[in-house]
Amino acid sequence: MAITVNIYYKGQNGSAGDFAREMTETGVVDRIRAEEGNLRYEYFMPLEDPETVLLIDSWRDQAAIDAHHATPMMDEITRLREKYDLHMRVERYVEGGVPESDAAFLRE
C-alpha cells in the first residue's frame, strides 16, 4: 500500500527554493529517487506563496520509508534544512483509490 508524504518547507527570502535547488543540484534528489521503494520525489512551488516549497514524496510502504530514514543521507538533508532555516508542515496519505463520490469531478 503506497504512502505519500507532502512536506511543506517554509522559509524566508527564497530560502525554501534555494533548499530545493541545492537538493537537486547536489544529486541528493536523484539518490533518493534511486532508493528501493521510492515511487515519487518532486518539488513544487505554490503560486500564491513564493516562500513555500511543496515536496511530494511517495513510497511503496512504511518499510521503504523507514529504510530511507535510516540512511546517512537523512543527516545531509537535515543539515540543508538547518542551513536554510526551514520550518515544515507534513501531510500523510495512504493509497486507497478515489472514492466514487469524487470520481465524477475527475477528468482523465
Side-chain angles (χ1 to χ4, degrees):
M1 182 176 310
I3 298 169
T4 298
V5 180
N6 291 348
I7 303 174
Y8 296 85
Y9 291 103
K10 180 89 169 168
Q12 294 181 11
N13 302 315
S15 63
D18 292 342
F19 164 78
R21 273 186 288 285
E22 186 165 344
M23 287 282 292
T24 301
E25 291 170 359
T26 60
V28 174
V29 169
D30 288 334
R31 293 191 338 247
I32 293 169
R33 289 177 179 157
E35 287 184 72
E36 178 67 29
N38 183 263
L39 304 174
R40 182 178 187 187
Y41 195 93
E42 294 182 278
Y43 290 104
F44 297 89
M45 296 186 78
L47 294 175
E48 302 84 17
D49 184 0
E51 296 301 336
T52 296
V53 168
L54 165 63
L55 167 62
I56 300 177
D57 189 15
S58 296
W59 296 86
R60 177 188 60 230
D61 53 25
Q62 186 60 49
I65 294 172
D66 293 343
H68 168 65
H69 286 162
T71 65
M73 192 175 354
M74 287 305 298
D75 291 334
E76 191 174 349
I77 295 167
T78 298
R79 280 193 302 277
L80 285 175
R81 288 178 189 154
E82 291 171 3
K83 172 183 176 180
Y84 291 104
D85 192 24
L86 300 178
H87 299 274
M88 300 160 51
R89 179 172 60 88
V90 176
E91 301 169 341
R92 183 180 169 100
Y93 304 95
V94 178
E95 184 179 289
V98 176
E100 195 171 312
S101 60
D102 292 343
F105 299 100
L106 300 178
R107 181 175 184 217
E108 294 185 26

